[in-house]
Amino acid sequence: MRIRACDHKAFSGGLSMVDRAYFDWNATAPLRDEAREALRDALALTGNPSSVHAEGRAARRLIEHAREEVAQLAGARPADVIFTSSGTEANALALTPAIETTHERRPRDRLFMSAIEHSSVRAGGRFPREAIADLPVDADGRLNLAGLAEVLAQASRPLVSLMLANNETGVIEPVAQAAAIVHAANGLLHVDAVQAAGRIACDIGALGADILTLSAHKIGGPKGVGALVRGSDDIHFAEPLIRGGGQERGLRAGTENVAGIAAFGAAAAAARARRADEAAHMLALRNRLEAGLKAISPQAVIFGAAAERLPNTTLFSLDGMKAETAVISFDLEGVAVSSGAACSSGKVQPSHVLAAMGVSPSLLRGAVRVSLGWTTTEADLERFFGAWRKLTTALSKGRQGIAA
Ligand code: PLP
């Protein structure tokens, strides 16, 4: 994708016009045209969706239409979609002892989460620290299913949180198999599908998830909107996340972000309609990218390569490379990539995902994430290869300098 900085002054700080190749789609995707249009139209409305007059009803209609579109993306019923201010907030709403089922009104007693979850899950929501335990992953970053039943037996009413796809490696987790084990242990399963939505199928019923998190800005909607989706009306939240005016079925008070939600709905509809084509496009380019990466530097290691992954994500490293230097060096060549999780970029911390996969500290330090999207082009790949060639040449010169 070519971004002309002059078209994105807020983002670029008004830099002079430059072409860029954007490979940080897992951090955020550009707004889809449909979402921009829905945003613009909704911003023109005045009504509060809680008001009974015509203006209020017009705003309410936009929200309910978006609810239908977001529900369809997750294979759920509109009544089971709760809009939030982000994926982070949806995770915070999900992770509470106060989730009940029609047959089990007592609170969840333990929270189990995979060791590779996003920081918004790792924070544990409203569970006390001592009630939270980690579930290990294998060297490819997949949840260890063997032994899961024994671990869950430590609790009477466990809640398990497992992401559908990892934001750093793109590795797809065995959610449906985990769901069967969790349910056999009287547990409930929360699935963070923020990175998976729009890239692979996310049907809450097929996954066996009880609750599922989505975020608008990863699928071409605006930042600052998310949703928590219930798998059935058997799931009840006994405690709201935010108390107040009773919006979103009393679980998340506050006047709704009408424009953001309308644009989320438009993005969800587009993502759903185009998923197969976009996934095929991304996969073809991602495979070319990985082949080129290895052709230039055969020693490069691609994490999770043996596992099933999202079609758009590559996390790689090279011994002796430092991720922060690599990201800057790509950036100077007009290529936007990231080191580890975007939410922690700015402050470079070693990836907890790679640490959980048992990656050596020297490789872990150099992990760079390249993530593609529906507008990524062959020209973007060429630009990436040019920058990678330059970086690896500089690295090997540096090594020779040290050896001399
Ligand atoms: N979950 C995962 C897997 C993510 O990658 C992210 C964001 O990067 C989030 C949750 C948080 O979503 P949001 O940025 O909408 O708060």
Side-chain angles (χ1 to χ4, degrees):
M1 178 183 60
R2 292 294 183 212
I3 295 178
R4 298 190 323 157
C6 66
D7 294 336
H8 294 261
K9 286 213 171 68
F11 161 70
S12 68
L15 296 172
S16 60
M17 193 163 29
V18 279
D19 277 340
R20 308 262 311 161
Y22 184 72
F23 283 105
D24 204 9
W25 290 67
N26 287 12
T28 197
L31 205 59
R32 291 182 189 264
D33 289 343
E34 295 87 343
R36 184 175 291 106
E37 212 171 290
L39 196 57
R40 205 187 308 117
D41 292 350
L43 283 171
L45 290 187
T46 301
N48 182 321
S50 297
S51 302
V52 294
H53 46 60
E55 289 82 352
R57 293 199 308 276
R60 169 62 51 203
R61 266 197 303 279
L62 286 189
I63 292 184
E64 297 316 318
H65 181 58
R67 206 183 299 282
E68 281 167 25
E69 289 171 326
V70 170
Q72 281 192 35
L73 183 65
R77 301 177 321 154
D80 290 326
V81 173
I82 307 291
F83 286 117
T84 62
S85 74
S86 58
T88 295
E89 190 190 298
N91 283 340
L93 174 61
L95 302 184
T96 173
I99 306 186
E100 298 178 349
T101 66
T102 310
H103 303 293
E104 181 54 88
R105 292 286 175 185
R106 286 172 298 172
R108 299 281 120 194
D109 58 346
R110 292 288 293 277
L111 170 63
F112 295 91
M113 60 174 75
S114 88
I116 57 161
E117 293 301 310
H118 185 262
S119 52
S120 55
V121 168
R122 301 285 306 152
R126 286 168 280 172
F127 277 86
R129 210 64 249 163
E130 61 279 8
I132 303 174
D134 274 356
L135 300 170
V137 297
D138 65 18
D140 284 316
R142 281 169 58 93
L143 180 74
N144 240 319
L145 288 170
L148 179 59
E150 287 98 289
V151 175
L152 297 184
Q154 296 166 14
S156 315
R157 296 173 303 282
L159 174 63
V160 175
S161 188
L162 176 61
M163 64 204 327
L164 181 48
N166 183 263
N167 45 306
E168 297 187 32
T169 59
V171 167
I172 298 169
E173 295 299 320
V175 166
Q177 292 101 304
I181 299 170
V182 170
H183 291 149
N186 195 32
L188 293 176
L189 180 65
H190 165 247
V191 171
D192 178 342
V194 164
Q195 294 290 346
R199 295 171 180 156
I200 57 172
C202 263
D203 186 286
I204 192 165
L207 291 169
D210 296 293
I211 37 177
L212 179 135
T213 293
L214 297 171
S215 173
H217 72 107
K218 312 288 185 179
I219 61 166
K223 297 162 189 64
V225 195
L228 187 65
V229 182
R230 283 193 310 181
S232 83
D233 54 9
D234 191 36
I235 307 288
H236 312 281
F237 287 88
E239 282 281 330
L241 182 63
I242 302 175
R243 291 173 201 278
Q247 289 90 348
E248 294 303 296
R249 307 225 332 262
L251 293 175
R252 201 273 171 193
T255 302
E256 298 88 338
N257 173 2
V258 179
I261 290 171
F264 185 10
R272 180 166 162 267
R274 298 196 207 117
R275 184 173 65 78
D277 288 347
E278 290 179 352
H281 170 78
M282 292 187 281
L283 183 63
L285 288 178
R286 201 275 307 270
N287 289 346
R288 271 208 55 207
L289 182 132
E290 292 190 350
L293 182 79
K294 297 279 267 183
I296 293 167
S297 181
Q299 299 82 12
V301 175
I302 295 169
F303 300 109
E308 204 189 338
R309 283 178 296 153
L310 291 177
N312 79 317
T313 308
T314 300
L315 183 70
F316 72 96
S317 184
L318 191 59
D319 234 334
M321 185 164 84
K322 283 205 181 104
E324 58 272 37
T325 326
V327 169
I328 293 168
S329 140
F330 274 112
D331 193 38
L332 291 173
E333 295 299 314
V335 178
V337 297
S338 81
S339 63
C343 298
S344 60
S345 67
K347 30 181 182 101
V348 181
Q349 293 164 330
S351 154
H352 70 283
V353 174
L354 293 180
M357 290 162 65
V359 171
S360 71
S362 62
L363 273 182
L364 201 145
R365 218 178 306 134
V368 168
R369 181 182 68 187
V370 186
S371 48
L372 293 67
W374 53 87
T375 63
T376 305
T377 62
E378 299 273 350
D380 293 334
L381 290 196
E382 290 310 320
R383 190 150 190 164
F384 173 86
F385 294 143
W388 178 231
R389 230 174 257 119
K390 211 163 166 179
L391 174 59
T392 49
T393 306
L395 282 172
S396 67
K397 274 196 189 133
R399 268 192 219 106
Q400 282 159 16
I402 292 164

